[in-house]
Amino acid sequence: MSEAPPASRVSGDVRNHNLSLILAHLARVGPSARSEISDATGLTRGAVTALAQILTSAGLARELDSVSSGKGRPLTKLELAADGVALLAVQLASDDVTALLTTLSGEELYRRAVAHGRPMGDPEAVLDVLARVVEDVLGESKRLGRRVIDISVVALAPVGGEPTIVLADVSLGWLQVDVLAGLTARIPGIDGTPIRLGSDTPVAALAELELLKAGGDALYLKSDSNVGGAIISAGRNIEGAHGFGGSLGHVAIVPDGLPCECGQHGCLVTVAGVGPLLGDRGWAKQGPSVALEEFVTRVEAGDPEAVAAWEAAVPWIGRTLQVLAMATNPGVIVIGGHWARLRDSIERAFLSNRPFAPGGRDEFEPAVVAGVLGADAALRGAVWAARDRFIRDPSLLLKIQRLN
Ligand SMILES: [Zn+2]
């Protein structure tokens, strides 16, 4: 156990780092006794006591009533408080806008979903709905007595540039759209709150990996209204030079394949996207995400038409994963979105063409696992990423608490 000097004498940087260790522990593990925090963080009990004092007097943590430890001696647990603040994540999907308001540690406070009717090629109409949903949630947060300290807008599309914009969203018929400018123009006063735009797949991937405790080297492949993915290396998303690294739906996997909306031929989406899986069955009316969920249910039930469509697609999913696994050497492959329920057949397709493992063992073979968060992965991931940004910089949190 490292011997930390009393909190009053350590430099601001060290103090912030140690506060950050305690906040991270409370956010991830939940209410904990000081001795448990000390064991988990390596800080001495004296240091934990002094730092806990700073957090409780700032309103960032509070003591829970003593509970019996089973051996007679009562145990006082510390929990994350921050009752005056909230985090907001908003997902802009091809069918609807969903907002999730949470506490600093990610507990759900309020949720709102509104269909936008999928007006193809009309960003203004979708941004109107987005702004209405955000205003509604900001109002609800105010009624709950909480100030929203961070807004994350998540697009199911690649984003990039400075300022960050949606680069293209084929499921909405968008080219470049400045979503944040549209939002701040529609909601007066919102520009006082930190607001960011990101793609769904990196945050969804990191959220799934956190819950699955699956390590930091992973491939994430998901399907909802589109096919997307992320490559995670040493815990970080590989976004590449222009921000669209991990666009696994547009890996050109089929030789001389069909033309894709991206300009290439034979992308994975041309054989495993919503269109090829569902054919021309009028799915556009109910929205691609709902239609794909129904499709997966039909595959599971053995519906011959759905099974045939899936069996035509799944070898290409397997081959895409074989290529990417040799390129990136992941510890785990996470299948997210609606395809999570079809993990078994994806794993079979993946394993159909793999190298011999040294000594005949398969310990180097990445596990293929189903995501557990379903359609909520990106929203959860976005609020957890916001939580981690604040936890990494407790001085910012202390400042916010003083302003409340
Ligand atoms: Zn493509």
Side-chain angles (χ1 to χ4, degrees):
M1 188 178 291
S2 64
E3 193 60 37
S8 56
R9 282 196 278 124
V10 298
S11 76
D13 281 354
V14 173
R15 192 194 68 157
N16 266 338
H17 173 74
N18 291 346
L19 285 171
S20 164
L21 290 177
I22 296 180
L23 287 170
H25 177 84
L26 293 178
R28 295 208 168 83
V29 178
S32 307
R34 286 171 177 75
S35 56
E36 292 165 342
I37 298 171
S38 169
D39 290 347
T41 59
L43 296 166
T44 63
R45 298 199 183 186
V48 171
T49 299
L51 293 162
Q53 174 63 32
I54 296 174
L55 294 175
T56 48
S57 59
L60 284 173
R62 73 173 145 248
E63 288 188 338
L64 288 173
D65 288 341
S66 296
V67 288
S68 168
S69 62
K71 289 174 188 156
R73 198 161 149 258
L75 201 62
T76 303
K77 294 207 172 198
L78 206 64
E79 76 168 350
L80 207 58
D83 296 334
V85 301
L87 305 173
L88 169 58
V90 198
Q91 180 168 284
L92 183 53
S94 59
D95 308 334
D96 58 14
V97 172
T98 308
L100 176 68
L101 183 77
T102 73
T103 64
L104 184 63
S105 51
E107 285 149 42
E108 181 167 334
L109 293 166
Y110 180 67
R111 177 187 289 262
R112 180 89 198 273
V114 176
H116 53 58
R118 218 161 166 246
M120 290 296 284
D122 185 3
E124 299 302 317
V126 177
L127 292 174
D128 285 344
V129 176
L130 179 70
R132 268 210 325 274
V133 170
V134 170
E135 273 193 303
D136 170 69
V137 180
L138 290 175
E140 182 60 27
S141 188
K142 208 170 178 181
R143 276 189 290 282
L144 293 170
R146 290 176 180 263
R147 186 155 64 94
V148 172
I149 56 170
D150 188 276
I151 302 174
S152 305
V153 180
V154 176
L156 275 64
V159 306
E162 184 62 50
T164 309
I165 60 170
V166 170
L167 297 173
D169 189 334
V170 290
S171 64
L172 286 172
W174 290 7
L175 292 173
Q176 298 190 346
V177 177
D178 192 340
V179 171
L180 297 185
L183 196 56
T184 47
R186 283 168 172 81
I187 307 179
I190 199 180
D191 45 359
T193 307
I195 179 166
R196 67 186 63 224
L197 173 71
S199 286
D200 63 321
T201 45
V203 281
L206 290 168
E208 294 282 19
L209 290 175
E210 180 171 332
L211 271 191
L212 293 164
K213 302 193 188 327
D217 293 290
L219 283 176
Y220 175 71
L221 178 66
K222 65 103 199 195
S223 173
D224 35 55
S225 58
N226 61 5
V227 178
I231 297 168
I232 306 296
S233 177
R236 301 186 79 88
N237 175 53
I238 304 300
E239 58 181 33
H242 307 291
F244 43 83
S247 298
L248 306 191
H250 295 279
V251 172
I253 197 71
V254 187
D256 305 318
L258 294 169
C260 177
E261 281 160 317
C262 76
Q264 303 183 116
H265 285 75
C267 293
L268 180 60
V269 284
T270 67
V271 282
V274 178
L277 288 181
L278 300 179
D280 183 19
R281 297 199 190 92
W283 53 266
K285 263 182 257 135
Q286 58 186 147
S289 192
V290 173
L292 192 62
E293 190 172 1
E294 279 179 21
F295 170 82
V296 170
T297 302
R298 294 214 317 275
V299 173
E300 287 176 327
D303 173 299
E305 201 182 359
V307 168
W310 182 243
E311 283 179 353
V314 76
W316 295 112
I317 301 170
R319 180 164 292 185
T320 303
L321 292 174
Q322 288 156 9
V323 170
L324 293 168
M326 291 312 278
T328 64
N329 187 21
V332 63
I333 296 172
V334 180
I335 308 298
H338 298 306
W339 285 358
R341 285 159 58 194
L342 300 173
R343 184 215 72 97
D344 292 0
S345 53
I346 291 174
E347 183 186 49
R348 273 196 301 278
F350 171 65
L351 292 177
S352 69
N353 182 19
R354 296 292 296 152
F356 292 116
R361 302 186 307 268
D362 62 358
E363 64 191 85
F364 299 107
E365 196 65 270
V368 179
V369 301
V372 291
L373 284 165
D376 239 14
L379 280 172
R380 290 278 163 200
V383 291
W384 290 349
R387 170 202 69 190
D388 289 347
R389 283 195 294 278
F390 284 105
I391 283 173
R392 272 197 298 275
D393 188 2
S395 62
L396 193 60
L397 271 179
L398 291 167
K399 202 165 111 193
I400 289 168
Q401 286 295 97
R402 277 196 294 273
L403 292 175
N404 268 346

mmCIF file of all heavy atoms in Angstrom, residues 17 307 370:
data_model
loop_
_atom_site.group_PDB
_atom_site.id
_atom_site.type_symbol
_atom_site.label_atom_id
_atom_site.label_comp_id
_atom_site.label_asym_id
_atom_site.label_seq_id
_atom_site.Cartn_x
_atom_site.Cartn_y
_atom_site.Cartn_z
ATOM 1 N N HIS A 17 -5.759 13.840 -8.379
ATOM 2 C CA HIS A 17 -5.610 12.458 -8.847
ATOM 3 C C HIS A 17 -6.215 11.490 -7.830
ATOM 4 O O HIS A 17 -6.950 10.564 -8.203
ATOM 5 C CB HIS A 17 -4.127 12.152 -9.079
ATOM 6 C CG HIS A 17 -3.871 10.713 -9.408
ATOM 7 N ND1 HIS A 17 -4.193 10.181 -10.645
ATOM 8 C CD2 HIS A 17 -3.382 9.685 -8.672
ATOM 9 C CE1 HIS A 17 -3.884 8.886 -10.646
ATOM 10 N NE2 HIS A 17 -3.393 8.563 -9.468
ATOM 11 N N VAL A 307 -34.600 -17.463 -42.326
ATOM 12 C CA VAL A 307 -33.397 -18.290 -42.138
ATOM 13 C C VAL A 307 -32.547 -18.284 -43.409
ATOM 14 O O VAL A 307 -31.317 -18.146 -43.360
ATOM 15 C CB VAL A 307 -33.786 -19.737 -41.736
ATOM 16 C CG1 VAL A 307 -32.574 -20.672 -41.823
ATOM 17 C CG2 VAL A 307 -34.370 -19.757 -40.322
ATOM 18 N N ALA A 370 -21.950 -11.985 -27.043
ATOM 19 C CA ALA A 370 -23.103 -11.129 -27.338
ATOM 20 C C ALA A 370 -23.072 -9.906 -26.435
ATOM 21 O O ALA A 370 -22.801 -10.017 -25.235
ATOM 22 C CB ALA A 370 -24.389 -11.910 -27.115
#
